[in-house]
Amino acid sequence: MDERLLKPYDPKEIEDKIYKLWEESGFFNPDICIEKGIIKKDAPKFSIVLPPPNATGVLHLGHVLEDSMQDTMIRYHRMRGEKTLWLPGTDHAAIATDSKITKILEKEGLKKKDIGREKFLERVNTFVADSRKTIVSQLRKVGASLDWSREAFTFDEKRNLAVRTVFKKMYDDGLIYRGHRIVNWDPKGQTVISDDELVYEEKKSKFYTFKYGPFEIGTARPETKFGDKYVVMHPKDERYSKWKHGDKLTVEWINGPIEATIIKDEIIDMEFGTGVMTITPWHSHEDFVLAEKYKLDKEQIIDKYSKLLPIAGEFAGMKILDAREKIVEKLKTKGLLVSIDENYINRIATAERTGGIIEPQIMLQWFIDVNKKISSRGNKTLKELMLEPVRDNKINILPDHFEKVYFNWIENLRDWCISRQIWYGHRIPVWYKNKEVYCGIETPEGEGWIQDEDTLDTWFSSGLWTFSTLGWPFDYAHGKPKKGSDLETYHPTSVINPGYEILFFWVARMILMSQYLIGEIPFKVVYLHGILRDAKGQKFSKSLGNGIDPIEVINEYGADALRMSMIVGIGPGADSKFDIQKVKAYSKFTNKIWNAARFVLENTKDFDSTKETELDEEDKKSEKELQNLITEITKEMDEYKFYIVAEKLYHYFWHTFADIIIERSKKKILENKNTISARVLLLSQLTTLLKALHPFIPFITEEIWSMMPLQKDKKLLLVEKWPFDFAQGKPNDN
RNA sequence: GCGCGGUUAGCUCAGUUGGUAGAGCAAUCGCUUUACACGCGAAAGGUCGGGGGUUCGAGCCCCUCACCGCGCACCA
């Protein structure tokens, strides 16, 4: 017997070695599989692009969950003999990375502004390069069978070209425009962010009621009220029926009298407060809409640094939070304060990445118009292009109920603000010279052109990921992928497997970009996974200090055990709790497999299974039972029910193969009765089970496979055939 | 306010088209049985959140209530 089996199972000893073996075989690359005759050239294809981890940090357990699922799918399809591509990459994560480096600099006592754009970007690039190396090595540790020859980065040369190309096309189609709109300004990060990057926090705050001429108005933000000169009420509110739309009156306000205008609009909720409000169009989204509707004046009150502007008079230059109480004090002195409600719950918008309190501002920014009809796409809007494939089931979202969530998001979608005032990211490919504006893929010829300072929302480049990774440049002139390119072969991809929290950020944007640019869906199935929490059900976070390094877990229990714990019992879209006990349990399972293999190999040495294959009745029955299981799980694999398959295999291996079949064989061998039948069955079952288990626990199955006394042209288990004959619709005979 | 999940054994969760409730972990009892004590065997544990309905039959379908979680909108 193989010496390796004499020792107890130690994953640490074999996993790195096995991964190297796989990598050296080249079989992660489908081209090599075809070249070496492993996979037929005309085989069906199966492709997944890895959701690129942010190049700001290290892999966490949530990544491992994602990677385990995808690797399981990829390995299953590769074993089915399909042209299987799993494409790796990392994400430059513009804002997240920019703010991370800014924080690191701050610790060194340096300010972004002081070191300048160029130096800053150098720092970022060094950091990102390191981070990417770490991530890549971690992915190997998990056993991810990614085709490293195709590794991409959302901010490398090719992806940058893709970004510029798409930007220009959208610009030429009039989908990208620059304009003054109300946006979410993050004073802390000093950039604009999109609606999706907001996080709302509920906070108890004071709600003030002030006298405003004959009316009483409420506000939680007195510091925005300096320029309020429009009083809005519901046209049907009888309390105010004596006032007509457009009436003017003079009211005493913070810094003296103001001429106010009455506006009647149904936006007002008569039940709320006094049923009267004043508006601040520059710093409130709803007020802005109203101001646009009636063409009202808009005036800026607060600057980019959250300080009051000269309109605030004596308060000018003060930080808004410092000014608030003082303004209230002044109004009180003037006899204009009516009441203060201390128990008001305010929802405050904050920036996801920096935590800064958002100040709505009217600013000149770049947007993508989601409601403009696109002639090259059958006069459909981007909204429609996003909606249709999901509605028409060309794209299947799992679990199903997220389709409703997706529709709900699209219905409420506004134009997408894509410009950011940070330095790290794809530069907007627009140049200015005096009043001339040039948008192009390359820098314009001639002197004096100055490029737009802004960078793009990181999700702009992420949105291109399914196709920017597959053989860009694209045949732009014909709007088609180039012949024989990866794009033609592997797009649309088969599955995308992100967490549901980025359904809008990413999945929707990929559908938008792919539908618009190449007129094709980016993927057929969206298999959403849930959030992985700690054993108590809390989110993993730095502030809680509950992070667990996956590499430490792998070092202790093995990647197989960790992977198994991430698959079993975790259905699509379901949040799950990480419990080290579960990993421990599956490390026992790998140990069990190891020992069962030891028994089988010990009892089948010098045994030629090809000679005599007659099984006795009970062994035939067992063989049939396993075949039934294979048929069952093959169907379930195709239905994305990995969480059930993994459990069934676990259960069969342990409680049927080990507990019944091995025990029965001991008796037969001991009594020297039907020993051939017993041995044949042991080998055949182990062979089938190793294959079926390989997508889930690739390391240990590969290691045992290498010791199996099978035919001479034995391949790596990685590329062995899945034990089901799809042509005949029944399990393979071994 | 609109919408979506969840509530099943002490814990974590499965439960496919409705047909006498399942797994893992934990806990109990007994085992050095020659692959494995990271083991083996045995037993124990649930009125499937409450109420109502459809059905010969409901964890599963319908209605309703409660609690937990999430998304979106409003928030003067």
Side-chain angles (χ1 to χ4, degrees), chain A residues 430-467:
Chain A
V430 171
W431 288 260
Y432 309 99
K433 186 157 97 182
N434 302 321
K435 283 192 176 167
E436 275 182 88
V437 178
Y438 173 84
C439 173
I441 295 170
E442 304 300 338
T443 314
E445 306 266 325
E447 296 286 301
W449 288 99
I450 295 166
Q451 188 170 9
D452 195 297
E453 286 291 313
D454 288 355
T455 50
L456 283 167
D457 180 4
T458 195
W459 298 100
F460 189 98
S461 56
S462 313
L464 317 179
W465 192 239
T466 63
F467 56 88

Short mmCIF file of all heavy atoms in Angstrom, two decimals, chain A residues 430-467:
data_model
loop_
_atom_site.label_atom_id
_atom_site.label_comp_id
_atom_site.label_asym_id
_atom_site.label_seq_id
_atom_site.Cartn_x
_atom_site.Cartn_y
_atom_site.Cartn_z
N VAL A 430 -12.62 63.04 -21.44
CA VAL A 430 -13.14 64.27 -22.04
C VAL A 430 -12.10 65.37 -21.80
O VAL A 430 -11.52 65.45 -20.72
CB VAL A 430 -14.49 64.66 -21.40
CG1 VAL A 430 -14.93 66.04 -21.87
CG2 VAL A 430 -15.57 63.63 -21.73
N TRP A 431 -11.87 66.14 -22.85
CA TRP A 431 -10.88 67.21 -22.77
C TRP A 431 -11.54 68.56 -23.11
O TRP A 431 -12.49 68.59 -23.90
CB TRP A 431 -9.74 66.95 -23.74
CG TRP A 431 -8.83 65.83 -23.33
CD1 TRP A 431 -7.61 65.95 -22.72
CD2 TRP A 431 -9.05 64.42 -23.49
NE1 TRP A 431 -7.05 64.70 -22.49
CE2 TRP A 431 -7.91 63.74 -22.95
CE3 TRP A 431 -10.09 63.64 -24.02
CZ2 TRP A 431 -7.79 62.35 -22.95
CZ3 TRP A 431 -9.97 62.25 -24.00
CH2 TRP A 431 -8.84 61.62 -23.47
N TYR A 432 -11.02 69.61 -22.53
CA TYR A 432 -11.57 70.95 -22.77
C TYR A 432 -10.47 71.86 -23.31
O TYR A 432 -9.32 71.78 -22.89
CB TYR A 432 -12.12 71.54 -21.48
CG TYR A 432 -13.07 70.64 -20.74
CD1 TYR A 432 -12.62 69.89 -19.64
CD2 TYR A 432 -14.41 70.51 -21.13
CE1 TYR A 432 -13.47 69.04 -18.97
CE2 TYR A 432 -15.26 69.67 -20.45
CZ TYR A 432 -14.80 68.93 -19.37
OH TYR A 432 -15.65 68.09 -18.70
N LYS A 433 -10.87 72.72 -24.24
CA LYS A 433 -9.98 73.79 -24.69
C LYS A 433 -10.87 75.00 -24.89
O LYS A 433 -11.71 75.02 -25.78
CB LYS A 433 -9.29 73.39 -25.98
CG LYS A 433 -8.25 74.39 -26.43
CD LYS A 433 -7.20 73.75 -27.35
CE LYS A 433 -7.52 73.99 -28.80
NZ LYS A 433 -6.55 73.34 -29.69
N ASN A 434 -10.71 76.00 -24.04
CA ASN A 434 -11.62 77.14 -24.04
C ASN A 434 -13.06 76.63 -23.97
O ASN A 434 -13.41 75.95 -23.03
CB ASN A 434 -11.39 78.03 -25.25
CG ASN A 434 -9.95 78.51 -25.28
OD1 ASN A 434 -9.39 78.82 -24.21
ND2 ASN A 434 -9.33 78.55 -26.43
N LYS A 435 -13.84 76.89 -25.04
CA LYS A 435 -15.23 76.43 -24.97
C LYS A 435 -15.45 75.10 -25.69
O LYS A 435 -16.55 74.58 -25.72
CB LYS A 435 -16.15 77.51 -25.54
CG LYS A 435 -16.34 78.64 -24.53
CD LYS A 435 -17.45 79.58 -24.93
CE LYS A 435 -17.68 80.63 -23.83
NZ LYS A 435 -18.51 81.73 -24.30
N GLU A 436 -14.37 74.59 -26.26
CA GLU A 436 -14.48 73.32 -26.98
C GLU A 436 -14.48 72.15 -26.00
O GLU A 436 -13.76 72.16 -24.99
CB GLU A 436 -13.30 73.15 -27.92
CG GLU A 436 -13.46 73.82 -29.27
CD GLU A 436 -12.23 73.53 -30.12
OE1 GLU A 436 -12.23 72.49 -30.81
OE2 GLU A 436 -11.28 74.33 -30.05
N VAL A 437 -15.26 71.14 -26.32
CA VAL A 437 -15.27 69.92 -25.52
C VAL A 437 -15.00 68.76 -26.45
O VAL A 437 -15.59 68.66 -27.52
CB VAL A 437 -16.65 69.72 -24.85
CG1 VAL A 437 -16.66 68.42 -24.05
CG2 VAL A 437 -17.00 70.89 -23.96
N TYR A 438 -14.07 67.89 -26.06
CA TYR A 438 -13.76 66.75 -26.91
C TYR A 438 -13.87 65.47 -26.10
O TYR A 438 -13.28 65.33 -25.02
CB TYR A 438 -12.34 66.90 -27.46
CG TYR A 438 -11.87 65.68 -28.22
CD1 TYR A 438 -12.20 65.50 -29.56
CD2 TYR A 438 -11.10 64.69 -27.58
CE1 TYR A 438 -11.78 64.38 -30.25
CE2 TYR A 438 -10.67 63.57 -28.26
CZ TYR A 438 -11.01 63.42 -29.61
OH TYR A 438 -10.60 62.30 -30.28
N CYS A 439 -14.64 64.52 -26.61
CA CYS A 439 -14.71 63.21 -25.97
C CYS A 439 -14.11 62.21 -26.93
O CYS A 439 -14.52 62.13 -28.09
CB CYS A 439 -16.15 62.84 -25.64
SG CYS A 439 -16.30 61.15 -25.02
N GLY A 440 -13.11 61.46 -26.48
CA GLY A 440 -12.48 60.51 -27.38
C GLY A 440 -11.78 59.40 -26.64
O GLY A 440 -11.58 59.47 -25.42
N ILE A 441 -11.43 58.37 -27.39
CA ILE A 441 -10.74 57.24 -26.79
C ILE A 441 -9.29 57.62 -26.49
O ILE A 441 -8.71 57.19 -25.51
CB ILE A 441 -10.85 56.01 -27.71
CG1 ILE A 441 -12.32 55.59 -27.79
CG2 ILE A 441 -10.01 54.85 -27.19
CD1 ILE A 441 -12.64 54.56 -28.83
N GLU A 442 -8.73 58.47 -27.36
CA GLU A 442 -7.36 58.92 -27.14
C GLU A 442 -7.32 60.44 -26.90
O GLU A 442 -8.26 61.14 -27.26
CB GLU A 442 -6.49 58.60 -28.37
CG GLU A 442 -6.48 57.12 -28.78
CD GLU A 442 -5.96 56.19 -27.70
OE1 GLU A 442 -5.21 56.66 -26.80
OE2 GLU A 442 -6.32 54.99 -27.73
N THR A 443 -6.22 60.90 -26.33
CA THR A 443 -6.01 62.33 -26.11
C THR A 443 -6.08 63.06 -27.45
O THR A 443 -5.51 62.58 -28.42
CB THR A 443 -4.62 62.56 -25.50
OG1 THR A 443 -4.45 61.62 -24.43
CG2 THR A 443 -4.47 63.98 -24.96
N PRO A 444 -6.78 64.20 -27.50
CA PRO A 444 -6.89 64.90 -28.77
C PRO A 444 -5.56 65.49 -29.22
O PRO A 444 -4.69 65.79 -28.39
CB PRO A 444 -7.91 66.01 -28.47
CG PRO A 444 -7.86 66.19 -27.00
CD PRO A 444 -7.52 64.86 -26.41
N GLU A 445 -5.43 65.65 -30.54
CA GLU A 445 -4.23 66.25 -31.10
C GLU A 445 -4.23 67.75 -30.80
O GLU A 445 -5.28 68.35 -30.60
CB GLU A 445 -4.25 66.09 -32.62
CG GLU A 445 -4.42 64.66 -33.11
CD GLU A 445 -3.09 63.99 -33.39
OE1 GLU A 445 -2.18 64.69 -33.84
OE2 GLU A 445 -2.99 62.76 -33.12
N GLY A 446 -3.06 68.32 -30.81
CA GLY A 446 -2.97 69.77 -30.69
C GLY A 446 -2.72 70.22 -29.26
O GLY A 446 -2.84 69.45 -28.30
N GLU A 447 -2.38 71.49 -29.16
CA GLU A 447 -1.99 72.06 -27.88
C GLU A 447 -3.21 72.52 -27.07
O GLU A 447 -4.27 72.77 -27.62
CB GLU A 447 -1.10 73.29 -28.12
CG GLU A 447 0.23 72.99 -28.79
CD GLU A 447 1.20 72.33 -27.83
OE1 GLU A 447 1.51 72.95 -26.79
OE2 GLU A 447 1.63 71.18 -28.10
N GLY A 448 -3.00 72.62 -25.78
CA GLY A 448 -3.94 73.34 -24.95
C GLY A 448 -5.16 72.56 -24.47
O GLY A 448 -6.05 73.13 -23.85
N TRP A 449 -5.20 71.27 -24.73
CA TRP A 449 -6.34 70.49 -24.24
C TRP A 449 -6.11 70.09 -22.79
O TRP A 449 -5.03 69.64 -22.43
CB TRP A 449 -6.54 69.23 -25.08
CG TRP A 449 -7.08 69.50 -26.45
CD1 TRP A 449 -6.37 69.58 -27.60
CD2 TRP A 449 -8.45 69.76 -26.79
NE1 TRP A 449 -7.20 69.86 -28.66
CE2 TRP A 449 -8.48 69.97 -28.18
CE3 TRP A 449 -9.65 69.83 -26.06
CZ2 TRP A 449 -9.67 70.25 -28.87
CZ3 TRP A 449 -10.82 70.10 -26.73
CH2 TRP A 449 -10.83 70.31 -28.11
N ILE A 450 -7.12 70.28 -22.00
CA ILE A 450 -7.00 69.90 -20.58
C ILE A 450 -8.05 68.84 -20.27
O ILE A 450 -9.24 69.02 -20.56
CB ILE A 450 -7.22 71.13 -19.67
CG1 ILE A 450 -6.09 72.15 -19.90
CG2 ILE A 450 -7.27 70.72 -18.20
CD1 ILE A 450 -6.39 73.50 -19.32
N GLN A 451 -7.59 67.73 -19.70
CA GLN A 451 -8.52 66.63 -19.42
C GLN A 451 -9.38 66.92 -18.19
O GLN A 451 -8.91 67.54 -17.23
CB GLN A 451 -7.78 65.30 -19.23
CG GLN A 451 -8.75 64.12 -19.13
CD GLN A 451 -8.05 62.77 -19.19
OE1 GLN A 451 -6.83 62.67 -19.13
NE2 GLN A 451 -8.85 61.71 -19.32
N ASP A 452 -10.61 66.48 -18.25
CA ASP A 452 -11.52 66.57 -17.10
C ASP A 452 -10.82 65.96 -15.89
O ASP A 452 -10.19 64.91 -15.97
CB ASP A 452 -12.80 65.79 -17.43
CG ASP A 452 -13.93 66.11 -16.47
OD1 ASP A 452 -13.80 65.83 -15.26
OD2 ASP A 452 -14.96 66.63 -16.94
N GLU A 453 -10.92 66.62 -14.75
CA GLU A 453 -10.23 66.19 -13.54
C GLU A 453 -10.85 64.95 -12.90
O GLU A 453 -10.21 64.25 -12.13
CB GLU A 453 -10.27 67.32 -12.49
CG GLU A 453 -9.35 68.49 -12.77
CD GLU A 453 -7.89 68.11 -12.63
OE1 GLU A 453 -7.54 67.47 -11.62
OE2 GLU A 453 -7.10 68.43 -13.55
N ASP A 454 -12.11 64.73 -13.19
CA ASP A 454 -12.84 63.69 -12.45
C ASP A 454 -12.50 62.27 -12.91
O ASP A 454 -12.02 62.05 -14.02
CB ASP A 454 -14.34 63.91 -12.59
CG ASP A 454 -14.83 65.12 -11.79
OD1 ASP A 454 -14.00 65.71 -11.06
OD2 ASP A 454 -16.01 65.45 -11.90
N THR A 455 -12.79 61.34 -12.02
CA THR A 455 -12.67 59.92 -12.35
C THR A 455 -14.08 59.32 -12.37
O THR A 455 -15.04 59.96 -11.97
CB THR A 455 -11.81 59.19 -11.32
OG1 THR A 455 -12.29 59.51 -10.02
CG2 THR A 455 -10.36 59.59 -11.46
N LEU A 456 -14.14 58.07 -12.82
CA LEU A 456 -15.45 57.43 -12.95
C LEU A 456 -15.81 56.59 -11.73
O LEU A 456 -14.93 55.99 -11.10
CB LEU A 456 -15.46 56.53 -14.18
CG LEU A 456 -15.58 57.23 -15.52
CD1 LEU A 456 -15.25 56.27 -16.64
CD2 LEU A 456 -17.00 57.77 -15.69
N ASP A 457 -17.08 56.52 -11.47
CA ASP A 457 -17.62 55.59 -10.48
C ASP A 457 -17.03 54.21 -10.77
O ASP A 457 -17.02 53.75 -11.91
CB ASP A 457 -19.15 55.54 -10.64
CG ASP A 457 -19.81 54.59 -9.65
OD1 ASP A 457 -19.11 54.02 -8.80
OD2 ASP A 457 -21.04 54.43 -9.73
N THR A 458 -16.54 53.57 -9.74
CA THR A 458 -15.89 52.28 -9.92
C THR A 458 -16.80 51.24 -10.60
O THR A 458 -16.34 50.36 -11.31
CB THR A 458 -15.36 51.74 -8.57
OG1 THR A 458 -14.46 50.69 -8.82
CG2 THR A 458 -16.49 51.26 -7.68
N TRP A 459 -18.11 51.40 -10.39
CA TRP A 459 -19.04 50.41 -10.96
C TRP A 459 -19.21 50.57 -12.46
O TRP A 459 -19.76 49.70 -13.12
CB TRP A 459 -20.40 50.48 -10.23
CG TRP A 459 -20.25 50.15 -8.78
CD1 TRP A 459 -20.20 51.04 -7.76
CD2 TRP A 459 -20.08 48.86 -8.19
NE1 TRP A 459 -20.01 50.38 -6.57
CE2 TRP A 459 -19.93 49.05 -6.80
CE3 TRP A 459 -20.01 47.56 -8.71
CZ2 TRP A 459 -19.74 47.99 -5.92
CZ3 TRP A 459 -19.83 46.51 -7.83
CH2 TRP A 459 -19.69 46.72 -6.45
N PHE A 460 -18.71 51.68 -12.99
CA PHE A 460 -18.74 51.84 -14.44
C PHE A 460 -17.85 50.76 -15.07
O PHE A 460 -18.26 50.05 -15.98
CB PHE A 460 -18.24 53.24 -14.83
CG PHE A 460 -18.42 53.59 -16.28
CD1 PHE A 460 -19.51 54.34 -16.69
CD2 PHE A 460 -17.53 53.15 -17.25
CE1 PHE A 460 -19.70 54.67 -18.03
CE2 PHE A 460 -17.70 53.46 -18.59
CZ PHE A 460 -18.79 54.23 -18.98
N SER A 461 -16.63 50.62 -14.55
CA SER A 461 -15.74 49.60 -15.12
C SER A 461 -16.15 48.19 -14.70
O SER A 461 -16.00 47.24 -15.45
CB SER A 461 -14.28 49.87 -14.75
OG SER A 461 -14.13 49.96 -13.36
N SER A 462 -16.72 48.06 -13.50
CA SER A 462 -17.19 46.74 -13.07
C SER A 462 -18.33 46.26 -13.96
O SER A 462 -18.50 45.07 -14.19
CB SER A 462 -17.71 46.78 -11.63
OG SER A 462 -16.82 47.46 -10.81
N GLY A 463 -19.10 47.22 -14.45
CA GLY A 463 -20.24 46.88 -15.29
C GLY A 463 -19.82 46.22 -16.60
O GLY A 463 -20.60 45.51 -17.23
N LEU A 464 -18.58 46.46 -16.99
CA LEU A 464 -18.08 45.90 -18.25
C LEU A 464 -17.43 44.53 -18.06
O LEU A 464 -17.01 43.90 -19.02
CB LEU A 464 -17.04 46.85 -18.87
CG LEU A 464 -17.32 48.35 -18.88
CD1 LEU A 464 -16.16 49.09 -19.52
CD2 LEU A 464 -18.60 48.66 -19.63
N TRP A 465 -17.34 44.12 -16.80
CA TRP A 465 -16.48 42.99 -16.42
C TRP A 465 -16.71 41.70 -17.22
O TRP A 465 -15.76 41.03 -17.60
CB TRP A 465 -16.64 42.73 -14.93
CG TRP A 465 -15.65 41.80 -14.31
CD1 TRP A 465 -15.91 40.63 -13.66
CD2 TRP A 465 -14.21 41.97 -14.21
NE1 TRP A 465 -14.76 40.06 -13.17
CE2 TRP A 465 -13.70 40.87 -13.51
CE3 TRP A 465 -13.32 42.95 -14.67
CZ2 TRP A 465 -12.34 40.70 -13.24
CZ3 TRP A 465 -11.96 42.78 -14.40
CH2 TRP A 465 -11.49 41.67 -13.70
N THR A 466 -17.96 41.35 -17.51
CA THR A 466 -18.16 40.06 -18.19
C THR A 466 -17.60 40.08 -19.60
O THR A 466 -17.25 39.04 -20.14
CB THR A 466 -19.65 39.65 -18.30
OG1 THR A 466 -20.36 40.62 -19.09
CG2 THR A 466 -20.30 39.51 -16.94
N PHE A 467 -17.51 41.25 -20.21
CA PHE A 467 -16.97 41.25 -21.57
C PHE A 467 -15.63 41.97 -21.72
O PHE A 467 -14.87 41.68 -22.62
CB PHE A 467 -17.98 41.78 -22.59
CG PHE A 467 -18.52 43.15 -22.30
CD1 PHE A 467 -17.87 44.29 -22.76
CD2 PHE A 467 -19.69 43.30 -21.57
CE1 PHE A 467 -18.38 45.55 -22.50
CE2 PHE A 467 -20.20 44.57 -21.31
CZ PHE A 467 -19.55 45.69 -21.77
#
